[in-house]
Amino acid sequence: EDKVVQSPLSLVVHEGDTVTLNCSYEVTNFRSLLWYKQEKKAPTFLFMLTSSGIEKKSGRLSSILDKKELFSILNITATQTGDSAVYLCAVEAVVGGGADGLTFGKGTHLIIQP
Amino acid sequence: KAGVTQTPRYLIKTRGQQVTLSCSPISGHRSVSWYQQTPGQGLQFLFEYFSETQRNKGNFPGRFSGRQFSNSRSEMNVSTLELGDSALYLCASSLEGGLPYYSYEQYFGPGTRLTVT
C-alpha cells in the first residue's frame, strides 16, 4: 500500500525564522510529488516535483525531491504570519496506463507567531 | 473566471440514508476529482472523472460512487451512510485528465461538510 509520511506533524516558529518540512514516501511506480498549502479552505497547489535534485522556487518557498532516498523537503525562508497553514504532501503513482490517484500525507500544521 | 463550486456546502444526514453531492468545475476543465478529508485520515482520494468516464479510483467501498455529465459537472453519491462518513468532501478540477495533468494544478472547491448522525 502506498504511504506518505510528513514530519513534523506540527511546528511553531517565530516570524522571520526559516522552516523545513519533510515528506517521505513509499509508493510503487512513482510519478510525481506535490505540495499543497491548506488554510481554512481547500488546498492550493504549490509545487510539483518529478526529477531528483532540481529545486523548484516560488518567492520564499522552495522544494526539492530525492528519488533515491524517497523524500522531499519544503523550505520557507523569512516566514510570515500568512504562512501559517497546513502543508500537505501528496504522491502520484502510476498503475497500468493511467495515474493511480494521489496519496496524501497527514500534513504539517505550521504556526508562525508574530 | 469562476472557481470550482460545490453544493450543498453543509449537510446533515442520518445513518442509513444516502446523499448526493454536486461539483461544477472551472469552465473548460474536463477532469474532476473527489476527495474525503477527515481529522483522523487526512485527505484521501476517492475517484477522478474525465470526459464522463471514471479514470481512477481510490480505496473506498462501493457505497461511494460518482458520475460526470457531458458539461463536466460531477456528482458523488454515498449510499447507506455510516457515522464514519462524516467528513469534508472536496472536489477539484483540472484542465486535462490523465497523466499527470489531473494532479497538476488542480483547483479545489470549498467543499461540502457532511455530518452523519
Side-chain angles (χ1 to χ4, degrees):
Chain A
E1 186 180 322
D2 295 345
K3 195 161 82 168
V4 177
V5 178
Q6 291 187 246
S7 64
L9 289 182
S10 65
L11 184 59
V12 182
V13 300
H14 287 102
E15 219 170 4
D17 288 350
T18 293
V19 297
T20 298
L21 311 183
N22 303 291
C23 175
S24 64
Y25 61 90
E26 293 175 29
V27 301
T28 308
N29 298 322
F30 172 90
R31 174 71 190 193
S32 66
L33 184 144
L34 301 103
W35 285 97
Y36 293 87
K37 177 182 181 183
Q38 185 172 26
E39 297 169 269
K40 289 181 184 176
K41 45 186 192 290
T44 54
F45 171 83
L46 292 174
F47 298 111
M48 177 181 174
L49 303 156
T50 55
S51 303
S52 274
I54 298 173
E55 188 184 49
K56 293 276 184 100
K57 262 184 93 71
S58 176
R60 297 176 292 104
L61 277 67
S62 64
S63 183
I64 198 159
L65 174 68
D66 186 327
K67 289 167 73 173
K68 184 179 174 190
E69 300 297 328
L70 307 183
F71 77 90
S72 173
I73 59 171
L74 175 69
N75 276 322
I76 309 175
T77 59
T79 51
Q80 302 170 357
T81 54
D83 296 327
S84 295
V86 174
Y87 289 84
L88 295 166
C89 169
V91 173
E92 179 183 31
V94 177
V95 172
D100 188 33
L102 294 175
T103 301
F104 282 83
K106 296 281 178 74
T108 292
H109 189 187
L110 176 64
I111 297 172
I112 310 297
Q113 291 182 336
Chain B
K1 196 184 248 190
V4 178
T5 57
Q6 291 186 245
T7 57
R9 293 294 311 279
Y10 301 91
L11 204 51
I12 299 174
K13 291 283 190 179
T14 55
R15 271 182 299 177
Q17 287 187 311
Q18 77 160 21
V19 66
T20 299
L21 312 182
S22 181
C23 171
S24 292
I26 291 172
S27 177
H29 283 195
R30 297 194 293 165
S31 170
V32 173
S33 298
W34 287 91
Y35 299 86
Q36 182 196 65
Q37 187 169 34
T38 60
Q41 297 297 320
L43 196 58
Q44 294 182 282
F45 172 76
L46 280 157
F47 28 64
E48 184 226 357
Y49 284 87
F50 179 78
S51 292
E52 301 177 65
T53 302
Q54 186 182 88
R55 293 176 69 96
N56 298 290
K57 192 174 192 305
N59 191 25
F60 277 80
R63 300 186 295 109
F64 292 82
S65 63
R67 58 178 176 167
Q68 186 180 35
F69 302 95
S70 57
N71 62 358
S72 294
R73 189 177 72 83
S74 177
E75 285 182 348
M76 192 194 94
N77 186 274
V78 188
S79 63
T80 320
L81 284 166
E82 300 175 1
L83 294 179
D85 297 332
S86 295
L88 179 68
Y89 289 88
L90 291 166
C91 155
S93 76
S94 61
L95 193 58
E96 296 287 343
L99 299 171
Y101 305 106
Y102 85 89
S103 58
Y104 179 68
E105 286 205 36
Q106 285 188 103
Y107 295 86
F108 283 81
T112 293
R113 173 76 60 186
L114 172 65
T115 302
V116 181
T117 62

